[in-house]
Amino acid sequence: MLRAAAAALAVAALAAPSDAGARGARPGRRSMVVLDGERVPVRWTDGDTFRILGGRLAGRAARLSGVNALETYGPVHRWAGISPWALLAVAKAAAPLAAREVRRCEDQGRDDVYGRLLASCPDAALALVEAGDAMVFAVDAPADERLLAAQRRAQAARLGIWAGGAPPLVPTSLHSADEP
């Protein structure tokens, strides 16, 4: 009974209009990353994507490798009985968390299917997964064990996207059938 009440409070807190101020930065707030040794200004557009605002790669969007955060363009997600609005609150908390500190990132030397530079930003990925604001995502290689351990802790604590528990299978997203 106590656990159910705690979970209900957690979901209610997630459904609040915004906790971005409490998490450190406003969504879309500019911050800095050190990308391949170059300190550049960026704007985090969601938890796993940032736009590079300066330096040799100015104008490019970058996608974190190894994690997947929820989309921020509306209450589009359905997950473990959590309301779409609560999940949108989780999605909107991810960018401020990523922007809170200067993150060290490395270009992975390839783009994703949307033309975004794939970047490894281990500290950002770990912070997002620990908070339950992102999940581990691996396609071409095994998942990072450190991230998997952090995800298990977030699931056990029912943080962020795991507030309603961890479903047995985790689809990351569904897009148009004609998308590559």
Side-chain angles (χ1 to χ4, degrees):
M1 179 76 164
L2 185 56
R3 187 174 203 172
L9 285 173
V11 170
L14 291 172
S18 174
D19 68 346
R23 301 290 294 273
R26 292 186 319 271
R29 179 180 160 195
R30 292 180 183 207
S31 64
M32 302 293 283
V33 302
V34 177
L35 181 59
D36 294 335
E38 179 185 17
R39 187 177 173 101
V40 296
V42 300
R43 183 176 64 85
W44 290 86
T45 55
D46 63 29
D48 58 20
T49 308
F50 57 87
R51 170 124 348 243
I52 302 166
L53 302 174
R56 65 181 177 79
L57 295 171
R60 294 280 319 265
R63 166 80 164 73
L64 267 65
S65 59
V67 297
N68 189 41
L70 299 178
E71 305 303 330
T72 58
Y73 52 80
V76 298
H77 295 285
R78 306 292 182 268
W79 185 279
I82 303 173
S83 82
W85 293 101
L87 291 170
L88 180 59
V90 171
K92 288 186 174 191
L97 176 60
R100 184 183 296 163
E101 298 176 14
V102 174
R103 305 295 183 175
R104 295 197 176 279
C105 304
E106 292 183 22
D107 179 350
Q108 297 296 289
R110 57 192 170 94
D111 292 351
D112 71 1
V113 298
Y114 300 105
R116 298 174 295 189
L117 169 84
L118 284 174
S120 172
C121 306
D123 291 342
L126 184 61
L128 291 163
V129 172
E130 284 178 332
D133 288 351
M135 68 186 85
V136 178
F137 182 72
V139 176
D140 297 331
D144 181 317
E145 287 297 326
R146 196 171 74 142
L147 291 178
L148 287 173
Q151 181 167 295
R152 286 185 200 102
R153 290 190 301 273
Q155 289 171 331
R158 293 182 173 250
L159 299 175
I161 59 176
W162 312 114
L169 296 174
V170 182
T172 58
S173 63
L174 299 176
H175 294 283
S176 301
D178 61 348
E179 242 181 355

